[in-house]
Each structure stands twice: as C-alpha cells, then as structure tokens.
Amino acid sequence: MEATQQGADVFFVLMGAILVFAMHAGFAFLEVGTVRHKNQVNALVKIIVDFAISTLAYFFVGYSVAYGVDFLVSAAVLDGSAEGSPFAKQGFDLVKFFFLLTFAAAIPAIISGGIAERAKFWSQAMATAVIVGLIYPFYEGIVWGGNFGLQDWLSESYGAAFNDFAGSIVVHAVGGWIALGAVVLLGQRKGRYTSDGRVVGVPPSSIPWLALGSWLLCVGWFGFNVMSAQSVEGVSGLVAMNSLLAMVGGILVALIVGKNDPGFIHNGALAGLVAVCAGSNVMHPIGSLLVGGAAGAIFVIFFNLCQNRWRIDDVLGVWPLHGLCGLWGGIACGIFGQEALGGLGGVAFMSQLIGSLAGAAYALAGGFAVYGALKLLVGIRLTPEEEAQGADLSIHKIGANPESEMAPR
C-alpha cells in the first residue's frame, strides 16, 4: 500500500508538471498573437530557449538556493532506492523538481511578453539564467522553503504565516514586477508614441493565436493550482472550483470594462486565475468569483493607463496582468480567506499584506538590478534598424511564413 500511495503521488505530480509545462505553449502563442507578424518567430524561440536555460539554471543552482537540495549524487540515491537516501522513493523528489521548475520557468516567459519586439535575444537569455538561478529561488525559498525565518515571524506576530498556495506572489507578482523594471529600462518601441504626444496603435497580428494562447494557459492552470497540493492525499476540489469561478469572474468583468475587446476578454480569464492562486485553497467560491472579477477590472484599467497615459510600453501588459493582479491576489487571500467571509480561515491579513508587498518590492529591485547591469555591460535592446526590420529576420534570419515570403520564381 505504501508503494502504491507513493506511485500515485509520483504520477499525480508528474501530470501536474506536464500540465504546467503545456502552459508555456500558452505563453508562446499569447505572445505570437499579440506582437506584429515580423516578431512571431522570435516569440516562439524565446519561450522554448528560456525554458531550456531555466531548466539548467534551476537544476544546478536555483533549486539548491530555494530548498538546499542538489542532484550531484548517483541515480540510485536520486530515485530513493539506495540505502539511507535522503530522496523519496520512486523518484518523487525528481518529479517535484520538474513541477517546481515549470513554475520557475514561468518567470522569463512572463517577462518575455513585456519586452517583446525590441529586446536582444542573448541578453534576455543571460537574464533568464540569473533570474531563475538566483533571483526567483531566493524569494521562493523564503515563502515555500521556510528560509530566513520570515514565515515563522509572521506566524508569531499575526497568528498565521503568509499563504501563497499556488504562487500569486511567488510566481506571478515576482515575474510581473521584474518585467516592469525590464520594460522601463528598455524603453518604448520605435514609433509607439509620436513627438507631438499621440499614441500610435499597434494592433495584434492574430486574434486566433492570442485566443489559443489564453485557452492553453487556462487549461494548464488547473494543474498549476490544483496539483500544488503535491500529493493525492492533499488534493482538494475546492481549489478547482475556486480557480474556475475566478477565471469566469475575470472573463465577464473584462468583457464589460474592456467594452467587448477580445484581447481584454482572453486576458481577463488569465487575470482571474493569477489572482486566485494565493488563496485558492482557503477561499469560498463566491469570494473567488469576486477576486477574479476585480482582477479582470484591474487588468483592463491599468493596461490602458500604462499604454496611453503613463507610456509604459509593456507589450502584453504583463505588469498589470501578473504584477498587479498577483499582488491583489496575495492581499485578497487575507480578506476572502477569513471564516467571516466564508473561507476556511488560517490566514492573517497583515501576513498577506507584508508577504505580498515584500515580494513585489524585491522583484522590482531585482528587475532593475539584473536588466540595469546587462544594459550597462552588453546592451539589452536591438538597434533601430534591427527593430524596424523585425526580430525574426534580425535575429533568426527567417520569418513566420518563409515560403510565402520568398520572391516568386
């Protein structure tokens, strides 16, 4: 029975890892559909290469930073079959690594959408290695690994530790606030704003690709949230229901506030899911519906403010979507997770507020530090000529539809 239970947990977490891995296709196609046609190949290549770099950075450095575990031992020790092995039997710790890796690799995938159409390819690759190897796992270890005693202090001071069940802060807010630093340092896309103050619209290249990206992310998100339990015994249908209701709330509010714009609607679903991650294990479904709905409004309002008033050229709106909706979700867990509002309790508002704000501030500082150093040392932006030509031809020497772009014979 013990072996069967362990095998079930291995399979459960593996399926979660595969679902979250599939979300990276969602990140890719969301970006492909949003950027101009001349930058579609670059979007696809960035996401898959960033995942490969993230894997190595997290395997050799990041996982050890977060949890004090390394994999430089024999395979018999790794799969738990060796006598006295600190690793769980049947390779459970290995699929757990895979699962958590897919979370870590989401950070550069999030950033990619904000810096699209004008970022240097190899500079971003270097940023990915540093962020996934050091910046992200440091905060991950504080929240999920219990490092440096912050969780103990919050528990002693306010009666409950910081609850971030599936990463509204650890993953999404951290990714979104790092991206803000990168976007600000990169500057606006060529021709996005005119010298006389006009905003030049840049329409999406493909609404179907954008929608496909959103759908892939929505489906995978149920692995992201539900399987954060990391065991069959700990799985809860409440997490699934809360995720569903928050997604629906985000869609419907974005539909109304965004005036039926398909980009806002499909991103509204993601806004709701970002916000519910933190408290999906403790909130009532109606509370999740409200949290997701508020996130849908936050995304639409702040996307428009960024693009039109503040002139922060965040191409996919990753700071409003992941940074602000993630921050809202972390704080909202301390409100709607309370028993008085139908939640399971066991959360404290002050712990949620401190943990959420600390994550956002740390990530913003990390974003400016990493991309500021790269800007100084190697540069982070394409030349005006390369940007005008498009990242596809400038970097990869091929467009999205090579045959149709060839001169007729």
Side-chain angles (χ1 to χ4, degrees), residues 383-402:
T383 66
E385 295 75 21
E386 290 170 332
E387 185 180 342
Q389 184 182 39
D392 293 358
L393 295 180
S394 298
I395 298 172
H396 309 289
K397 313 305 179 188
I398 193 168
N401 303 101

Side-chain angles (χ1 to χ4, degrees), residues 43-53:
L44 293 169
V45 174
K46 272 191 304 178
I47 300 296
I48 198 167
V49 170
D50 279 346
F51 189 90
I53 293 170

Side-chain angles (χ1 to χ4, degrees), residues 20 23 103 110 144 162-173 217 220-226 228-229 238-239 242-244 246-247 269-283 288 291-292 295 321-322 325-333 352:
V20 185
M23 290 175 69
F103 282 54
I110 290 167
W144 289 341
F162 174 53
N163 186 84
D164 191 9
F165 181 70
S168 285
I169 302 299
V170 174
V171 179
H172 297 288
L217 284 163
W221 221 296
F222 288 87
F224 197 98
N225 284 3
V226 175
S228 286
L238 179 65
V239 177
N242 283 338
S243 301
L244 178 65
M247 180 187 75
L270 309 182
L273 286 163
V274 165
V276 81
C277 287
S280 57
N281 63 325
V282 295
M283 294 192 295
S288 296
V291 169
L321 180 62
H322 298 275
C325 292
L327 182 61
W328 157 243
I331 296 170
C333 174
Q352 295 305 122

Side-chain angles (χ1 to χ4, degrees), residues 88-174:
K89 292 184 182 299
Q90 295 179 250
F92 175 78
D93 288 317
L94 304 185
V95 294
K96 180 181 176 181
F97 164 81
F98 182 17
F99 183 64
L100 292 173
L101 160 69
T102 59
F103 282 54
I107 303 296
I110 290 167
I111 296 167
S112 175
I115 64 175
E117 300 202 319
R118 76 271 203 206
K120 280 187 173 181
F121 182 81
W122 288 110
S123 296
Q124 173 57 17
M126 288 186 275
T128 293
V130 175
I131 290 166
V132 178
L134 296 172
I135 304 297
Y136 167 76
F138 182 81
Y139 189 71
E140 176 192 17
I142 290 174
V143 176
W144 289 341
N147 298 345
F148 302 106
L150 176 64
Q151 291 285 39
D152 292 337
W153 176 75
L154 290 172
S155 184
E156 292 170 4
S157 301
Y158 303 108
F162 174 53
N163 186 84
D164 191 9
F165 181 70
S168 285
I169 302 299
V170 174
V171 179
H172 297 288
V174 166

Side-chain angles (χ1 to χ4, degrees), residues 172-188:
H172 297 288
V174 166
W177 286 86
I178 290 176
L180 177 61
V183 168
V184 170
L185 288 168
L186 264 174
Q188 302 152 352

Side-chain angles (χ1 to χ4, degrees), residues 188-260:
Q188 302 152 352
R189 283 171 289 174
K190 181 179 174 64
R192 183 71 174 91
Y193 305 98
T194 64
S195 57
D196 61 358
R198 289 186 299 109
V199 179
V200 179
V202 182
S205 59
S206 172
I207 296 298
W209 284 133
L210 184 158
L212 176 64
S214 175
W215 274 104
L216 287 169
L217 284 163
C218 288
V219 171
W221 221 296
F222 288 87
F224 197 98
N225 284 3
V226 175
M227 291 168 171
S228 286
Q230 297 186 27
S231 71
V232 174
E233 183 180 6
V235 71
S236 171
L238 179 65
V239 177
M241 180 63 81
N242 283 338
S243 301
L244 178 65
L245 268 291
M247 180 187 75
V248 168
I251 292 169
L252 294 178
V253 173
L255 167 70
I256 296 166
V257 180
K259 299 178 181 178
N260 216 349

